[in-house]
Amino acid sequence: MKFFIDTANLDEIREAYDMGVLDGVTTNPSLMAKEGITGDAKIKAHYKAICDIVDNNVSAEVIATDYENIMKEGRELAKIDDKIVVKVPMIKDGVKAIKQFSSEGIRTNCTLVFSSGQALLAAKAGASYVSPFIGRLDDISTDGLTLIEDIIRIYDNYAYETEVLAASVRHTMHLIECANMGADVVTCPLKVITGLLKHPLTDSGLAQFLADHKKGNQ
């Protein structure tokens, strides 16, 4: 399973990368705005700064919703760095653009996916990644993890190469369940990744080891 961090904060990206477990980054306009990154030039420069930290897979989102401008924005984003994956919304013109990007060798991440039918369309169009938003489904009393399971089964049925990128992952159990189901990627805040480190028996065991070592050296 690949671990992506869902942020535009460079310090968090560096921290996750330095742990040795980071495979990529996903961002969106909301995350950029949270970091005070506004304006086309600054946003592109920030994407480049992220690319300079990680080894691969930096999802950069288009803002346009019509085919011509999705293509224009996506091509411009792809020129920033070979690590860029163009993030395209699950709309009709988005699917059309994904097909064209695929033919041009530009990797894509189909975002805002909330049904297996949408995921099927993204795969048929040639998306590199499909991003089902499981946390947002949970928010409306729908089981987001069931969607992950359904998409994986459909992709396995037809040997689609599109990778399932579980997005809107809110906590460690989301991540573990996605891993159990065989999701290719999870993207989540740094706290979810570091949350995997925690276990009370690890803490108590380490405390005991250190206490015993101290006694033995008195």
Side-chain angles (χ1 to χ4, degrees):
M1 170 180 271
K2 297 175 188 175
F3 282 10
F4 290 1
I5 186 173
D6 194 35
T7 187
N9 184 285
L10 297 181
D11 290 335
E12 290 183 351
I13 293 168
R14 290 190 190 97
E15 182 178 347
Y17 184 80
D18 288 345
M19 283 180 66
V21 300
L22 188 66
D23 300 292
V25 176
T26 57
T27 59
N28 59 45
S30 297
L31 292 172
M32 284 287 188
K34 184 179 178 181
E35 298 302 318
I37 310 299
T38 58
D40 186 65
K42 289 183 179 179
I43 288 172
K44 287 178 179 175
H46 200 74
Y47 279 133
K48 180 59 179 172
I50 294 172
C51 290
D52 289 343
I53 297 172
V54 302
D55 295 329
N56 203 349
N57 301 306
V58 177
S59 283
E61 189 162 350
V62 300
I63 305 301
T65 56
D66 64 284
Y67 175 76
E68 288 76 15
N69 284 304
I70 290 173
M71 292 303 304
K72 179 182 178 182
E73 288 183 24
R75 287 170 178 147
E76 289 176 354
L77 290 170
K79 289 178 183 177
I80 295 172
D81 196 285
D82 290 341
K83 299 171 186 177
I84 292 289
V85 179
V86 178
K87 203 172 180 183
V88 181
M90 169 40 72
I91 55 178
K92 185 177 181 180
D93 279 10
V95 173
K96 183 180 177 181
I98 287 169
K99 182 67 173 179
Q100 182 60 32
F101 283 135
S102 179
S103 71
E104 296 179 12
I106 295 174
R107 293 180 296 166
T108 55
N109 175 358
C110 187
T111 189
L112 293 170
V113 169
F114 294 97
S115 74
S116 54
Q118 290 177 327
L120 184 56
L121 287 173
K124 287 187 68 64
S128 307
Y129 300 95
V130 63
S131 290
F133 279 43
I134 61 177
R136 294 194 190 185
L137 284 170
D138 288 356
D139 290 343
I140 60 167
S141 303
T142 302
D143 188 354
L145 289 168
T146 297
L147 176 59
I148 298 294
E149 191 173 32
D150 289 346
I151 295 171
I152 291 171
R153 184 183 305 110
I154 290 169
Y155 284 9
D156 286 347
N157 284 345
Y158 301 102
Y160 286 120
E161 295 182 1
T162 300
E163 295 188 48
V164 179
L165 194 167
S168 189
V169 169
R170 303 277 177 79
H171 47 73
T172 54
M173 283 310 300
H174 266 164
L175 192 155
I176 294 300
E177 287 300 322
C178 287
N180 278 326
M181 292 174 181
D184 300 289
V185 192
V186 290
T187 187
C188 55
L190 177 62
K191 66 180 181 180
V192 176
I193 296 175
T194 56
L196 296 174
L197 293 166
K198 300 175 183 178
H199 197 286
L201 292 180
T202 301
D203 296 338
S204 62
L206 180 58
Q208 185 63 55
F209 291 157
L210 293 174
D212 291 343
H213 175 73
K214 184 176 181 180
K215 288 179 183 178
N217 286 276
Q218 287 180 345

